[in-house]
Amino acid sequence: MTPSHSSYSENGPVPLVEFQQVTKAYGRGAAEVKALRGLNVRIHEKEFVAVMGPSGSGKSTCMNILGCLDIPTTGSYLFGGIPVGTLSRDQRAILRRHYLGFVFQGYNLLGRTSAMENVELPLLYRRTPASRRHSLAREALRTVGLEGFEHHTPAELSGGQQQRVAIARAIVAQPALLLADEPTGNLDTEKSHEIMDMLRSFNSGLGITIIMVTHEPDMAAYAGRVIRFKDGQVDSDNRNGGKA
Amino acid sequence: MYLQTLFIALREIRRNAMRSFLTILGIIIGVSAVIIMSTIGNGATAKVTADIARLGSNMLSIRPGQMRGPGGASAEAKPLEMADVTAIEREVGNLEAVAPTATKGVTVIYGNMNWSTSVIGTTNRYLAVRDWEIAEGRPFSESETRSGKMVCLIGQTVRRELFGGQSPVGEQVRIGRQSCRVAGLLQSKGQSSFGTDQDDIVLIPLQAFQSKISGNRDISRIYLSVNEGASTEQAQEEIRLLLRERRRVGPKESDDFSVFDMKEISDTMTGTTEVLTTLLSAVAAVSLLVGGIGIMNIMLVSVTERTREIGVRLAIGAREREVLLQFLVEAVVLSTLGGITGILFGVSSSFGITNLLRIPYVLDPLMIIIAFIFSTAIGIIFGFFPARKAAHLNPIDALRHE
Ligand SMILES: Nc1ncnc2c1ncn2[C@@H]1O[C@H](COP(=O)(O)OP(=O)(O)OP(=O)(O)O)[C@@H](O)[C@H]1O
Ligand SMILES: [Mg+2]
């Protein structure tokens, strides 16, 4: 089940993720909502992609499928060449455990739990031994600039700091793909830029592929590629040089 | 996977110390209730059994009048007499000893001390029937019994009230207007199962009682013991027929006397305490069940409260069975913890309570094992539904949960 995202096919490198005519419908009959209507996207390793578009255009739906939390109604979604739609719930959980990292708009840290323990969580499910788990978590917290905050609980951290803990949690297991749905949605401009700088350094320095949903062009400017959604379809797909 | 899950579950319990405590409170109360109730029940049964043994389970007693309803003995019943006693001794088989008694409330005086008690006129046979030993001194002699000399045997309570720590043997006491020498001191028999103090008593020879104290020849009660292994029922029936004839009870009339079988009384009493024990245990079991439902309730609330957390765990890559196991382990660890605390609390407080009630402390190890297994089982059973609910959550919905 190992994704073959580092091997090459005849047409060049296999994309890390690929949407083939993906549709996603919620509800049935008259109440049916088509969130995605025939999506075709390929994203390769080491890309930094910003997803934009009006509210309700299907960005979060797309991210859920990217994150193997959900499966397409029709069409197929390939992760490292694997058609995720054919996997069981548990198989998708294993895929997430080993290859994916999530950053949410609302941080979603465990309350009354120290930053360290929050960051260790993905390693716990990977059954990383305790000593290695501690050192990796400490390392991740240092990477996001939270050295010395290891034993603070979310209640004792600012919004920006909480989001950095969440980012540390997302990267601690070195995922192939980091998904962030409006990671700066709850933060002020200054904090947002700090977070974006951090994401960009993970992308260029650690080679983590990042797909991020954002409403702000300023934040999208950090990405090397901006995909715009409209009514469940790709409206535009542009490469920019990335913000200097 | 199991060790990891146990670790996660323990971390969760510690993280929510207050909620964890409230969750197990029901189990603590339930388990300790089961242990306390069963210990009290067992102690009461043991006490009743011991009391009956002290009373003598091969003992019969006869009194005039039919015991019926709250009125007790009917007024017109003819008293028993010495001739009845000799007739019984002569004609009823398998009797070990027969002791006639007559009783009166008196004040006993020694020096400047006085004490109100009951004096029983009887023979040495009374000691044999009641299986009562002399602690100090001697029983009545043959000549004392026959001549009706004023000598007495006193119970421990009377000794304590009149003589304090001093030995009473050989001293002269006054019973009413009569002077009486103390021949012996009876061993302590303690409280009867009816709550009366059996040691608050003075025994004197029946002859002396009749001539010097009551002034009549009535016998109020005859005690008899049946030989080891012989049937009390048969002796009872023989006595009944004999007395009906002697007392000229017509064939259509009912008995104008009563024969009590101590074994019957003991059976009823043991039966009653057993019913009591069962009842108490049932009440305790219900409270344990309520404790279990409490666990389920709080676990369900906790699943709702922790929906987002479960969403995060699922998104991060927890499998369904890992979430299920986490919640199940949480419930089992909690109920086990509650079970152990409940056992400790139940054992120690039942020790205190039995002490207070002055009943023997009979701890049933089986009860502890059952309570422990039961509390753990409750954790599994009532933890399962909330755990399954948590595991089946859709990660996307769970993450979006407010
Ligand atoms: N679980 C669901 N059940 C029913 N409809 C849903 C569900 N999730 C999303 N939708 C619908 O699908 C459409 C796309 O939703 P989606 O969340 O992907 O939009 P979005 O682009 O992320 O919007 P926003 O910028 O507001 O976050 C919307 O019309 C939404 O109402
Ligand atoms: Mg959205």
Side-chain angles (χ1 to χ4, degrees), chain A residues 64 69-70 89-90 93-94 96-97 100 102 104 106 108-113 117 120-122 124-125 127-128 133-134 169, chain B residues 1 4 7-8 11-12 14-16 308-309 312-322 326 391-396 399:
Chain A
N64 289 339
L69 292 166
D70 210 346
R89 211 177 123 115
D90 276 356
I94 299 292
R96 291 197 292 274
R97 174 184 299 181
L100 291 163
F102 292 89
F104 309 95
N108 278 329
L109 299 176
L110 303 196
R112 282 166 290 168
T113 304
E117 288 180 345
E120 282 180 13
L121 202 59
L124 225 48
Y125 286 108
R127 284 184 262 303
T128 308
R133 206 169 62 217
H134 298 324
R169 181 179 64 189
Chain B
M1 163 170 166
Q4 210 65 71
F7 180 76
I8 293 173
R11 204 179 244 192
E12 281 309 303
R14 201 198 52 200
R15 187 158 72 99
N16 301 295
R308 261 146 87 79
E309 172 197 323
V312 170
R313 288 181 187 277
L314 290 169
I316 278 175
R319 272 176 296 180
E320 235 173 85
R321 81 180 89 126
E322 283 163 324
Q326 178 197 329
H392 282 341
L393 283 175
N394 175 348
I396 301 165
L399 280 168

Side-chain angles (χ1 to χ4, degrees), chain A residues 26-27 33 35 53-62 181-182 215, chain B residues 397 400:
Chain A
Y26 292 109
V33 178
S55 187
S57 56
K59 304 183 294 293
S60 294
T61 307
C62 172
D181 197 342
E182 303 187 43
H215 283 287
Chain B
D397 296 339
R400 213 186 286 144

Side-chain angles (χ1 to χ4, degrees), chain B residues 127 228 261 274 365:
Chain B
L127 301 179
E228 198 73 50
D261 185 344
E274 269 163 15

